[in-house]
Amino acid sequence: NYVGICRFFGPIKEKRKSTESFVGVELDQKMTRFGGVFGSKKYFDCEVGYGIMVTFKNVTKVTKPKMTPLLKN
């Protein structure tokens, strides 16, 4: 599984048309060879190695748990 921040949402405009919506994600860790470019177009900004483009149906929204302050006795 990959974890990151959504940087793009929408259709991919390339030669091969797709009716699916895509999500461009900037990953928390370097895990790919990509940096926001898909095909011949740049869809979002991130460092090379931290970008991934996936179909919307393959995305799960994850929220960080709330941090509770430590109590001193």
Side-chain angles (χ1 to χ4, degrees), residues 8 10 13 15 18 24 46 57 60 64-66 69:
F8 170 82
K13 296 181 175 148
K15 292 177 186 174
S18 176
C46 76
K57 66 183 177 185
T60 302
K64 292 184 179 182
K66 291 182 181 180

Side-chain angles (χ1 to χ4, degrees), residues 5-54:
I5 298 171
C6 176
R7 299 289 187 202
F8 170 82
F9 176 78
I12 297 294
K13 296 181 175 148
E14 286 295 321
K15 292 177 186 174
R16 191 181 106 220
K17 303 249 179 180
S18 176
T19 58
E20 292 186 275
S21 291
F22 286 81
V23 179
V25 179
E26 180 179 0
L27 301 171
D28 291 348
Q29 297 178 9
K30 187 174 185 176
M31 301 178 85
T32 70
R33 302 179 319 217
F34 307 105
V37 176
F38 183 81
S40 62
K41 184 177 178 195
K42 185 169 192 165
Y43 288 90
F44 62 98
D45 291 319
C46 76
E47 286 187 55
V48 173
Y50 289 83
I52 191 168
M53 191 73 77
V54 295

